[in-house]
Amino acid sequence: MAISLPLPANGEITDAEFTAQFTALLEGQGLITPSQQKNYRSNVTQALKSFDPHHPAILLVALSGNVQTKFISSAAAESLVDRATQLLSSAEWSDIGAGLAVLIGRRVSEILLSCCEPCSNGSILFRDPSKKALELGVKGGKLL
């Protein structure tokens, strides 16, 4: 998406007007939520910083840290881990892959493209993953 807005400088447009037009442009493209707008806002923030590292519009365009960060409660995290653990006992390969992805924090594609074997009780050794060598529960031949 190309952005065509006048820079908020030299009285052409105020910082608030620039921000309102930019937000309207994003929303007009169907980018409504902060997570959908995040990369575009970050790009415009970096462009403004290249003109003036302390430009007042930066604070209006950039998302605040509390908007960008998403937290889940400890109860929700525990429920997620419980469900992922249950998926490991499934007869469906897709359920097992989803459970592993949640529990070890790897992409499903990396899990599905990797060769793995049991290493010890409660650990799996991944060989030839799509990105880099990955061992779960074992590092440098030593059990973690």
Side-chain angles (χ1 to χ4, degrees):
M1 169 177 66
I3 296 176
S4 178
L5 293 172
L7 282 175
N10 300 328
E12 295 176 29
I13 184 173
T14 67
D15 300 333
E17 289 170 332
F18 175 83
T19 303
Q21 287 183 23
F22 178 58
T23 300
L25 178 68
L26 292 174
E27 291 174 353
Q29 295 293 318
L31 305 170
I32 308 300
T33 66
S35 62
Q36 292 171 327
Q37 296 179 358
K38 180 180 176 182
N39 290 340
Y40 296 101
R41 288 185 177 277
S42 178
N43 291 342
V44 169
T45 298
Q46 292 306 314
L48 288 169
K49 284 181 179 180
S50 71
F51 294 109
D52 178 0
H54 305 290
H55 197 289
I58 292 170
L59 295 175
L60 299 173
V61 170
L63 294 173
S64 65
N66 61 351
V67 172
Q68 293 181 22
T69 305
K70 296 180 181 177
F71 293 101
I72 61 172
S73 68
S74 59
E78 188 173 326
S79 175
L80 182 64
V81 169
D82 288 344
R83 178 66 181 129
T85 303
Q86 291 171 2
L87 289 173
L88 297 179
S89 300
S90 173
E92 296 292 324
W93 64 267
S94 56
D95 289 344
I96 296 169
L100 282 172
V102 169
L103 293 171
I104 66 174
R106 303 299 289 185
R107 293 179 183 96
V108 173
S109 61
E110 291 178 45
I111 292 168
L112 296 177
L113 294 173
S114 300
C115 296
C116 63
E117 60 188 66
C119 184
S120 66
N121 190 18
S123 67
I124 299 171
L125 176 65
F126 282 86
R127 298 193 187 279
D128 304 322
S130 59
K131 289 187 107 178
K132 62 181 180 178
L134 167 70
E135 294 182 15
L136 176 64
V138 176
K139 185 173 184 177
K142 296 180 181 176
L143 186 60
L144 299 176

